[in-house]
Amino acid sequence: MSAVMSTQWQGLEPEGLGHDLLVEWSPWAREDREGGHSWHVKPRIDRGFHGTPPDRVMRVDKILARIRLEHPPYYRVIARYYLDELLPWQMAETLKGTEGWVRTMLLAACGLVEMRYREC
């Protein structure tokens, strides 16, 4: 049964530029969520300051702000996967979908981030 399940989801793992950008963005955003001063505020004087985020991170953050407003379901999947570090099966119930739906939304969200990044 587990062999059937593993082949069922084969190819539905995030990859590509959108995924890479979100992986690069997530530690900065996670740090921001943990109560430190926002890295959007200058000058940041928090003792946990790790430097200014790279330009790519700032661009992705702006893209995600737009996605959060225009496509909230995509942002919810992104936040749970990249910020909360949950696996698709862990998100399925709270997002009221199946694991396959979560994986599909994750792939679509990565594609949307990549598309908007290339447009900028």
Side-chain angles (χ1 to χ4, degrees), residues 5-34:
M5 292 299 283
S6 65
T7 58
Q8 179 182 6
W9 303 121
Q10 191 174 9
L12 287 178
E13 295 295 327
E15 59 182 35
L17 179 61
H19 171 68
D20 295 343
L21 291 168
L22 289 167
V23 167
E24 185 177 346
W25 163 82
S26 63
W28 293 96
R30 220 178 287 118
E31 176 188 313
D32 213 28
R33 289 173 110 193
E34 293 171 356

Side-chain angles (χ1 to χ4, degrees), residues 91-104:
M91 295 185 255
E93 187 176 330
T94 59
L95 293 175
K96 296 181 174 47
T98 63
E99 182 180 354
W101 177 84
V102 171
R103 288 175 180 276
T104 302

Side-chain angles (χ1 to χ4, degrees), residues 21-56:
L21 291 168
L22 289 167
V23 167
E24 185 177 346
W25 163 82
S26 63
W28 293 96
R30 220 178 287 118
E31 176 188 313
D32 213 28
R33 289 173 110 193
E34 293 171 356
H37 294 285
S38 174
W39 40 269
H40 293 112
V41 178
K42 303 292 186 215
R44 181 175 171 166
I45 55 173
D46 182 52
R47 68 174 184 254
F49 178 64
H50 298 295
T52 304
D55 289 338
R56 284 171 45 126

Side-chain angles (χ1 to χ4, degrees), residues 65-112:
R66 188 172 152 201
I67 289 173
R68 189 174 194 170
L69 291 173
E70 295 174 358
H71 306 286
Y74 289 145
Y75 184 78
R76 283 192 291 274
V77 170
I78 288 170
R80 283 176 178 76
Y81 189 79
Y82 292 99
L83 299 180
D84 298 339
E85 298 180 313
L86 296 175
L87 297 173
W89 68 267
Q90 294 171 311
M91 295 185 255
E93 187 176 330
T94 59
L95 293 175
K96 296 181 174 47
T98 63
E99 182 180 354
W101 177 84
V102 171
R103 288 175 180 276
T104 302
M105 290 294 287
L106 187 57
L107 292 175
C110 289
L112 184 58

